[in-house]
Amino acid sequence: METSMERAREMMAQAVVAVTGTLHDGAARAARGADLLDFAVEAGALLRAAQAALIIATSEADRRSAGTGRDRFDLACGCRNVNELMQRATGAAPGVVKQWSRLGALVREDLGLNGEPRSARFPALRDALMSGRIGADGLAAAALPLDAVRDRVPADDLAVADRALADVAGVNEDDLVLTERTMSAGDWGAPAPAEAETTTRRSVPAMADCLSVHAGAWAAALDQDGAEPQEDRARRLRALYFGRARDGVVSLHGRLLPEVAAQLQTAIDAIINPHGKDAGVRFRDTAGEGDPRDERTAGQCRHDAFATILAVAASSDLPVIGGAAPTLVVHVDEPDLCAGTGWARMNGVDATGTDVHVPVAVATHTACIGQIQRVVTGRDGRVLATTITDRIFNATQRRAIAARDRTCVIPGCHTPARWCEFHHVTEYKDGGPTSIDNGVLLCWNHHRFLDTNGWAVRMTAGVPEVQAPAWIDRTRRWRSTRPPAPVRRLRTPART
């Protein structure tokens, strides 16, 4: 006699053949809008059912592999553990299988001491999973917040929340509505003046995000004292780590406290767009030019804003290290610095704490805003002499340059003076003086990549002028960064 498991396997095999056949035929491309919507809705139902089956199967495999010896199910299948077993059986990633195992523990009905099955931790959500109303994402969104407070909440209150969330999963008042407009042909193929409108309405399951909001509200309401343990846990988990230097970058990862993340996000948002203006350059008197935008990705913009934050912080009252303010030190051979080629070295860049080779452009950028200390060494490595070149704009020069430029001098960049760096228009190594007439404001991004981003800066009678890249301005005209003086119109006296 055929068992229910055998019948289910046959039906699943038939479903796989039907779905893959439809995909190979390219039917989705030629399908009507209503058919495509129905296909997506039914595929979602199939997905939820498959996820429920895999959660239950993983849970049962965990139960059968909990013992020791050769009777373990995972070992009998030739696998080290259940995670490997389900990976090989389904092709899923380890993290996905781990989630199935975790969710399976929430809805599994274990056997009690008397041999009778015990109720699952969340029986109502188990029924919602088994009936296909929610899948793995929905179960995780609804059950995990409740499970986090389970030890601090009375069982009766938790059961109420379980049933309430299952009801939310079963009722979705927002149907998915598709509106299509078709034009019918008139006589002799002429289009009719009126369009026919058809509406397709389909019931859809509750979204995982909706369940997460409801579950979070229930957890907060049931666990009134949960904020204190959460604060302690957050205090323990806060961390920031540096990775190894690879491909010229250093990975940065960690966990920030909410208020720290909010401060960082606010500062980054302010630096990326401090005045709420659109990024980009527009030269009104250049015919045919468009309105180019910032070429950087969102991640690159945040990186450059973070660099600006560090530069501003380094110039403030930070704690001293070894009797001096925190200082970025870049080592480079003088011939390489003068030639602009080769490599420089930085210490303490990544988690290894060893020297990391960086392009000489890093040394050039650092030297432009800081000091150069020349160290003369002998053939045996002995330090013979040291000299320090004072090439930093002093406070008076900085105030004057900031008053003149106000923002980064690159058109379209609105970074204010307090977040900018001071750049030698004629490089110091080329004989340029550290003076007001040779200094301009540049944001970190435009300063760091000035040699490669196509922009050029020069001084004319003490006023900065910029030349845009050819892809922005085909004329390549030098343009003053000062706004044009207002034109005063003389009034003609009225005749009497």
Side-chain angles (χ1 to χ4, degrees):
M1 183 176 179
E2 189 180 37
T3 64
S4 59
M5 291 289 287
E6 292 173 343
R7 288 194 301 271
R9 290 201 306 271
E10 292 178 1
M11 296 180 68
M12 285 190 289
Q14 295 173 3
V16 170
V17 172
V19 172
T20 55
T22 301
L23 298 177
H24 281 297
D25 293 341
R29 181 181 297 274
R32 297 183 304 112
D35 292 337
L36 183 60
L37 176 61
D38 290 337
F39 185 78
V41 171
E42 296 305 325
L46 189 62
L47 172 65
R48 294 191 298 277
Q51 288 177 337
L54 290 170
I55 290 172
I56 298 302
T58 305
S59 175
E60 181 62 23
D62 283 333
R63 188 186 68 82
R64 299 188 182 191
S65 304
T68 58
R70 298 180 179 179
D71 293 337
R72 285 178 45 175
F73 183 68
D74 50 0
L75 296 181
C77 294
C79 299
R80 294 170 299 174
N81 48 48
V82 174
N83 195 291
E84 181 188 354
L85 167 62
M86 297 305 295
Q87 287 183 58
R88 296 177 63 181
T90 64
V96 175
V97 177
K98 184 178 180 180
Q99 180 80 325
W100 293 344
S101 179
R102 184 180 182 186
L103 296 176
L106 303 180
V107 296
R108 183 171 59 215
E109 293 181 334
D110 294 322
L111 296 178
L113 296 177
N114 57 357
E116 296 293 330
R118 294 184 302 179
S119 177
R121 295 186 194 176
F122 303 103
L125 289 174
R126 171 188 167 88
D127 292 341
L129 176 71
M130 305 288 277
S131 61
R133 287 178 287 163
I134 58 175
D137 295 334
L139 179 60
L144 292 181
L146 295 183
D147 189 60
V149 302
R150 181 169 56 95
D151 296 335
R152 302 188 298 271
V153 173
D156 293 342
D157 294 343
L158 203 64
V160 173
D162 176 34
R163 291 191 295 269
L165 291 174
D167 292 339
V168 172
V171 178
N172 188 0
E173 299 178 354
D174 296 329
D175 291 341
L176 196 58
V177 180
L178 169 66
T179 302
E180 294 181 292
R181 294 179 177 86
T182 57
M183 181 176 291
S184 59
D187 295 338
W188 302 101
E195 293 182 348
E197 184 175 286
T198 59
T199 301
T200 304
R201 184 181 297 271
R202 295 291 182 268
S203 297
V204 292
M207 295 187 299
D209 286 347
C210 179
L211 291 171
S212 178
V213 171
H214 283 270
W218 272 103
L222 295 177
D223 186 23
Q224 297 291 336
D225 299 329
E228 188 77 18
Q230 184 177 5
E231 172 68 16
D232 294 340
R233 185 170 182 268
R235 179 170 52 83
R236 294 193 305 270
L237 291 177
R238 75 188 193 281
L240 189 64
Y241 304 100
F242 288 90
R244 297 175 63 92
R246 294 179 179 176
D247 299 326
V249 294
V250 178
S251 62
L252 179 68
H253 60 97
R255 295 178 292 271
L256 303 180
L257 294 175
E259 64 272 21
V260 177
Q263 287 178 325
L264 179 60
Q265 185 65 58
T266 301
I268 288 176
D269 291 343
I271 293 174
I272 290 177
N273 198 3
H275 302 299
K277 299 179 181 178
D278 292 335
V281 184
R282 175 181 296 166
F283 296 127
R284 296 181 179 178
D285 58 343
T286 302
E289 298 296 336
D291 187 13
R293 301 293 177 181
D294 195 335
E295 292 289 319
R296 295 175 295 169
T297 64
Q300 290 170 345
C301 289
R302 286 191 289 269
H303 169 276
D304 297 349
F306 187 55
T308 301
I309 294 172
L310 295 179
V312 174
S315 62
S316 61
D317 296 330
L318 287 178
V320 298
I321 299 178
T327 305
L328 174 64
V329 180
V330 182
H331 302 273
V332 61
D333 294 335
E334 186 172 5
D336 292 337
L337 180 62
C338 295
T341 59
W343 294 91
R345 302 179 306 281
M346 299 179 66
N347 183 263
V349 174
D350 63 0
T352 63
T354 58
D355 285 348
V356 173
H357 285 80
V358 295
V360 74
V362 176
T364 303
H365 172 253
T366 305
C368 187
I369 60 176
Q371 292 179 334
I372 294 180
Q373 178 177 356
R374 286 182 170 85
V375 179
V376 181
T377 59
R379 294 182 178 180
D380 57 355
R382 179 185 177 185
V383 176
L384 302 179
T386 62
T387 59
I388 297 178
T389 303
D390 188 4
R391 50 178 290 142
I392 301 177
F393 292 94
N394 58 41
T396 302
Q397 292 171 327
R398 289 170 178 260
R399 285 193 295 267
I401 295 173
R404 182 196 64 203
D405 297 343
R406 300 184 182 178
T407 65
C408 175
V409 298
I410 300 300
C413 182
H414 313 296
T415 304
R418 63 183 181 276
W419 296 334
C420 286
E421 298 175 347
F422 293 82
H423 168 65
H424 288 77
V425 176
T426 301
E427 294 290 348
Y428 190 89
K429 63 183 178 62
D430 297 329
T434 303
S435 64
I436 296 173
D437 288 345
N438 192 44
V440 295
L441 292 180
L442 288 176
C443 69
W444 185 92
N445 170 53
H446 287 119
H447 196 190
R448 174 65 173 80
F449 303 106
L450 185 62
D451 294 335
T452 58
N453 59 17
W455 287 94
V457 182
R458 74 179 184 184
M459 301 295 291
T460 301
V463 177
E465 291 183 346
V466 296
Q467 184 185 59
W471 60 271
I472 290 181
D473 182 12
R474 292 193 296 268
T475 65
R476 299 283 287 165
R477 287 174 48 195
W478 286 96
R479 302 173 187 270
S480 174
T481 59
R482 296 181 61 85
V487 178
R488 298 182 60 184
R489 296 182 179 180
L490 298 178
R491 293 185 178 180
T492 303
R495 294 182 181 180
T496 56

